[in-house]
């Protein structure tokens, strides 16, 4: 059962975040965490407020803390995004891959992994990752660019005789 004071502070933090007032949001979520440092929702929300304030180091710290508390791979996706934004591509890829091993997946996560594979000149790996993305997520949720990217990856894999998936073909017609 949530305490009314917690709910009120959390709501105030969410409202501040929604209005772009990162500092107030950080303050509200920090007050909550002073009372209960293991409150996963407040840790993640403060991480989001830090990210909004462009303090990637503190955002990453909170995302990592949320993962350490819960084992939920989605938080490693956010750690990886901080690494990516900071230009630490190896660290970002590592966190994205661990997120997948922790049973988290999203189109953005799989697209990012495919992008890194492409940049490493591992086009077959990139194509397979994009195919996994296309198979796992309904076409209505994907951007056309993902389908075009998958097509270019498939066509650029030497010796590939695997046909393009119907969902990709539908978007290319």
């Amino acid at each position: 059962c949530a305490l009314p004071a917690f709910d009120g502070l959390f709501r105030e933090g969410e409202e501040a975040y929604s209005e772009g007032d990162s500092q107030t949001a950080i303050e509200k979520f920090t007050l909550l965490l002073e009372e209960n440092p293991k409150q996963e929702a407040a840790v993640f929300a403060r991480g989001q407020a830090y990210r909004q304030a462009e303090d990637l180091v503190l955002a990453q710290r909170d995302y990592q803390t949320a993962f350490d508390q819960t084992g939920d791979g989605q938080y490693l996706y956010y750690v990886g995004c901080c690494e990516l934004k900071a230009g630490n591509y190896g660290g970002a890829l590592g966190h994205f891959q661990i997120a997948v091993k922790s049973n988290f997946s999203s189109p953005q996560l799989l697209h990012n992994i495919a992008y890194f594979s492409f940049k490493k000149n591992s086009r077959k790996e990139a194509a397979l990752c994009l195919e996994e993305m296309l198979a796992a997520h309904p076409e209505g949720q994907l951007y056309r660019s993902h389908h075009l990217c998958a097509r270019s990856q498939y066509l650029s894999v030497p010796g590939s005789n695997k046909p393009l998936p119907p969902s990709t073909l539908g978007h290319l017609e």
Side-chain angles (χ1 to χ4, degrees):
C1 181
L3 301 173
F6 177 88
D7 288 342
L9 275 175
F10 195 86
R11 213 174 355 234
E12 289 173 24
E14 285 182 313
E15 288 173 16
Y17 176 82
S18 294
E19 294 169 4
D21 185 356
S22 306
Q23 192 54 46
T24 299
I26 291 166
E27 290 168 7
K28 299 295 181 183
F29 296 130
T30 298
L31 284 172
L32 290 170
L33 291 168
E34 286 172 358
E35 292 295 316
N36 183 359
K38 295 200 182 276
Q39 179 44 254
E40 163 201 351
V43 172
F44 176 71
R46 186 175 68 179
Q48 290 290 75
Y50 278 128
R51 183 196 47 78
Q52 185 181 61
E54 298 184 17
D55 189 335
L56 298 178
V57 171
L58 292 178
Q60 184 175 342
R61 179 200 64 192
D62 279 353
Y63 298 144
Q64 184 67 52
T65 298
F67 173 75
D68 293 343
Q69 290 176 354
T70 66
D72 187 339
Q74 78 169 319
Y75 298 124
L76 289 182
Y77 168 73
Y78 289 99
V79 171
C81 287
C82 289
E83 295 274 9
L84 181 62
K85 188 147 181 141
N88 182 359
Y89 302 115
L93 179 58
H95 284 101
F96 292 152
Q97 290 170 331
I98 295 169
V100 169
K101 288 178 185 172
S102 298
N103 295 320
F104 175 73
S105 182
S106 74
Q108 297 83 7
L109 171 65
L110 296 172
H111 183 266
N112 287 348
I113 293 171
Y115 173 76
F116 286 118
S117 297
F118 178 78
K119 290 303 237 179
K120 292 186 320 188
N121 272 336
S122 181
R123 293 182 172 184
K124 185 173 184 175
E125 185 179 329
L128 292 172
C129 193
L130 287 169
E131 172 62 16
E132 179 183 341
M133 177 186 72
L134 293 169
H137 301 280
E139 63 183 287
Q141 296 178 358
L142 298 175
Y143 297 108
R144 180 180 165 90
S145 64
H146 288 161
H147 292 280
L148 293 173
C149 191
R151 181 178 190 271
S152 69
Q153 293 302 318
Y154 271 99
L155 296 178
S156 65
V157 174
S160 177
N161 58 4
K162 185 175 180 184
L164 291 170
S167 58
T168 300
L169 292 172
H171 281 276
L172 295 173
E173 293 174 347

